[in-house]
Amino acid sequence: MEQTEAINNKSNRESENQWRWVAFISIVVVFLALGFASKPFFFNPSSKSCHCSQGSHKYSGMVEDCCCEYETVDHLNEEVLHPLLQDLVKTPFFRYFKVKLWCDCPFWPEDGMCRLRDCSVCECTENEFPETFKKPFYHGLSPDNPVCQEGKPEAVVDRTIDAKAFKGWIVIDNPWTNDDETDNDDMTYVNLQLNPERYTGYTGPSARRIWDAIYTENCPKYPSQEFCQEEKILYKLISGLHSSISVHIAADYLLDEATHLWGQNLTLMYDRVLRYPDRVENLYFTFLFVLRAVTKASDYLEQAEYDTGNSVEDLKSQSLVKGLLHNSKLQAACPLPFDEAKLWKGQSGPELKQQIQRQFRNISALMDCVGCEKCRLWGKLQVLGLGTALKILFSVDGQDNLVHTLQLQHNEVIALVNLLNRLSESVKLVHEMGPAVEKAVGVPIPAFGDRTSAWQKLWNSITGSK
């Protein structure tokens, strides 16, 4: 009896092993097939330009809801996107942003106070920003002579700007944003290069109230499986933007107010961003989402006129834009950063789109409640940039976006490109500051990459491995 049972057990083990080998071979075949099918999405291993060191990344695998890997994003950003965008936003066309800084909060009496002089915005004098932003004819703007008289009444520009004077561009409302700055009353041009996004001392209940209103009233943090994909996308976009803003505050922080010493606040970087894997994930997601919007609008952006009156600088702007839109490395490694076609499906799609559109408009309106001028400037710019990305990727009336001709105003394009640059810099800082942050706080930064171990998990389930 025992001998018969032993023989049966041996036979079962042999049969089980055979089944495992069959399953293993099947997995390998499928894996190879997928690998060949996805070849365009990855760098050629023999390419000399890909010098990413193996095992050097905290974050690995595919960015959730996107079509690009963390390692690929870091490599592309370092080699292509970040240096190109840094040059682009310094050109006269992308340097100046038209904004309404003095607005009443539509939701509550604003009582925020800024402790620092750095909280105020340095406005442009009338003769600094491109005259073609007001009038169609001008003989040039010096790119190396920015003048700004901070805090002086004469720094306020002439706000009677001719909305249609910027040749080749139009004024059109963006239904995704509450105020896309098409109204020229109380407007001013701001040189973004002289007003960097960094720590301003804007803290306390007033600052917290802004983010609380954004998350709790318009963009609730979603529990697992409770909200639909589109609602999750909105949350991730806002979370990614929030993470990016926090990164810039931590990377350019006033370390010593007495000596006016600025530098990196590594502890703050950890406490606000790096200790939370989902915040880093959402930063990468938002970066790829905006990048997709820029590449999708390539035909429009390539043909647009970047006219400030300075022919040399304008040609440079146009050349850099084309370099961004038609970069061969970007197209080979990450041709579709985000696939927007999978959203808004089913009968409830149009209604859901209008709901999320209203929520984002509320978020846009909340920027008027920010009690710090410089924070309000960058909040308005980046929310307008995100609203422009939503406008490019999705229709606004529940119909196919391809039916309608894309139309953008120059302020939307300026906001979109500057937002992409801000996100690009945040991704770079997260990647570069990680080791120093770990050393400063004395604990490892949480890594994530479980999505890359799907094959291992499947194999473990087949073999019974732990």
Side-chain angles (χ1 to χ4, degrees):
M1 185 69 178
E2 293 179 357
Q3 184 177 4
T4 301
E5 184 176 354
I7 292 174
N8 290 336
N9 289 338
K10 180 179 179 181
S11 177
N12 290 337
R13 285 195 300 271
E14 290 177 349
S15 177
E16 184 177 350
N17 288 334
Q18 290 176 352
W19 180 86
R20 287 175 178 172
W21 276 109
V22 170
F24 173 73
I25 293 172
S26 300
I27 290 173
V28 170
V29 170
V30 173
F31 177 76
L32 291 175
L34 289 175
F36 285 121
S38 61
K39 184 177 179 181
F41 285 84
F42 301 94
F43 286 109
N44 186 337
S46 62
S47 172
K48 295 181 180 180
S49 64
C50 184
H51 53 267
C52 304
S53 58
Q54 296 297 322
S56 64
H57 289 80
K58 272 286 183 181
Y59 317 115
S60 61
M62 198 72 70
V63 180
E64 187 179 26
D65 296 318
C66 291
C67 312
C68 212
E69 292 189 326
Y70 287 98
E71 296 93 335
T72 303
V73 174
D74 286 331
H75 175 80
L76 284 172
N77 190 45
E78 179 180 0
E79 184 171 292
V80 177
L81 294 172
H82 185 261
L84 191 153
L85 288 166
Q86 287 284 295
D87 288 339
L88 186 57
V89 298
K90 293 174 185 175
T91 62
F93 182 90
F94 290 98
R95 181 192 303 166
Y96 297 96
F97 180 63
K98 184 176 66 174
V99 62
K100 187 187 301 182
L101 290 174
W102 303 277
C103 306
D104 293 329
C105 174
F107 301 107
W108 59 73
E110 176 52 41
D111 55 1
M113 295 292 291
C114 290
R115 295 191 306 106
L116 300 182
R117 172 179 176 271
D118 303 87
C119 187
S120 61
V121 168
C122 178
E123 302 169 15
C124 300
T125 58
E126 184 176 357
N127 63 351
E128 181 192 351
F129 62 86
E131 190 70 13
T132 53
F133 280 30
K134 298 193 301 178
K135 301 175 184 178
F137 303 106
Y138 186 59
H139 295 293
L141 169 75
S142 171
D144 302 317
N145 186 30
V147 178
C148 187
Q149 302 179 29
E150 184 173 358
K152 297 183 179 180
E154 57 266 33
V156 180
V157 303
D158 179 2
R159 296 192 289 271
T160 58
I161 300 170
D162 183 356
K164 297 183 179 180
F166 196 73
K167 188 171 64 175
W169 296 85
I170 60 170
V171 175
I172 184 170
D173 288 334
N174 183 344
W176 286 91
T177 57
N178 178 69
D179 182 2
D180 52 356
E181 312 300 344
T182 56
D183 182 1
N184 292 310
D185 293 336
D186 298 322
M187 304 293 289
T188 184
Y189 276 103
V190 174
N191 186 332
L192 298 173
Q193 294 297 304
L194 297 179
N195 295 276
E197 182 187 23
R198 60 180 181 177
Y199 174 73
T200 63
Y202 181 52
T203 58
S206 176
R208 287 195 299 270
R209 184 163 51 179
I210 300 295
W211 288 111
D212 287 345
I214 288 174
Y215 285 114
T216 60
E217 298 177 23
N218 300 289
C219 191
K221 184 174 176 64
Y222 60 91
S224 177
Q225 304 299 322
E226 183 173 333
F227 287 90
C228 66
Q229 182 69 7
E230 289 81 359
E231 290 172 316
K232 290 182 180 180
I233 294 296
L234 176 61
Y235 169 78
K236 291 167 70 172
L237 288 174
I238 298 303
S239 172
L241 179 59
H242 192 179
S243 297
S244 180
I245 293 171
S246 297
V247 167
H248 286 106
I249 291 173
D252 200 358
Y253 196 87
L254 184 59
L255 301 175
D256 190 333
E257 193 168 347
T259 60
H260 208 64
L261 175 65
W262 291 80
Q264 295 179 342
N265 189 327
L266 301 177
T267 303
L268 187 69
M269 181 76 159
Y270 177 79
D271 289 339
R272 291 195 180 181
V273 181
L274 296 187
R275 69 181 297 181
Y276 303 100
D278 63 306
R279 296 182 183 180
V280 178
E281 290 183 33
N282 294 336
L283 169 62
Y284 276 79
F285 170 80
T286 306
F287 179 42
L288 290 176
F289 184 94
V290 176
L291 179 61
R292 167 57 183 158
V294 171
T295 57
K296 185 174 183 178
S298 60
D299 289 343
Y300 187 95
L301 296 175
E302 184 178 3
Q303 297 173 11
E305 296 187 34
Y306 303 96
D307 179 18
T308 64
N310 186 317
S311 58
V312 174
E313 288 294 310
D314 295 340
L315 285 174
K316 180 180 179 181
S317 297
Q318 190 173 35
S319 175
L320 289 170
V321 168
K322 288 183 178 180
L324 172 63
L325 300 175
H326 301 291
N327 186 273
S328 58
K329 293 181 180 179
L330 175 61
Q331 292 173 345
C334 193
L336 187 67
F338 173 79
D339 184 8
E340 69 279 1
K342 61 186 177 181
L343 300 178
W344 321 113
K345 300 297 184 181
Q347 294 182 348
S348 61
E351 181 180 352
L352 179 61
K353 186 179 297 182
Q354 291 178 3
Q355 171 196 325
I356 293 181
Q357 195 177 92
R358 287 193 299 269
Q359 290 174 317
F360 192 83
R361 279 202 301 266
N362 286 339
I363 293 171
S364 175
L366 278 165
M367 294 303 100
D368 285 332
C369 300
V370 176
C372 157
E373 275 192 355
K374 193 168 289 184
C375 306
R376 190 183 307 136
L377 163 66
W378 284 103
K380 278 176 166 280
L381 180 143
Q382 292 179 93
V383 169
L384 176 58
L386 201 53
T388 304
L390 289 164
K391 174 181 174 179
I392 293 170
L393 293 181
F394 308 124
S395 64
V396 296
D397 55 5
Q399 300 180 22
D400 190 341
N401 200 29
L402 296 178
V403 174
H404 308 282
T405 302
L406 176 64
Q407 292 182 312
L408 300 173
Q409 55 175 310
H410 77 276
N411 220 35
E412 289 177 323
V413 175
I414 293 168
L416 179 69
V417 170
N418 274 278
L419 170 61
L420 184 63
N421 178 62
R422 295 282 82 202
L423 294 167
S424 168
E425 188 166 332
S426 293
V427 167
K428 185 174 185 288
L429 288 168
V430 162
H431 182 57
E432 291 180 348
M433 290 176 62
V437 170
E438 284 188 328
K439 184 176 180 180
V441 300
V443 295
I445 295 171
F448 54 85
D450 288 339
R451 296 181 187 88
T452 62
S453 61
W455 291 103
Q456 183 63 45
K457 290 180 179 178
L458 181 58
W459 174 244
N460 289 345
S461 68
I462 292 172
T463 61
S465 303
K466 299 295 184 182

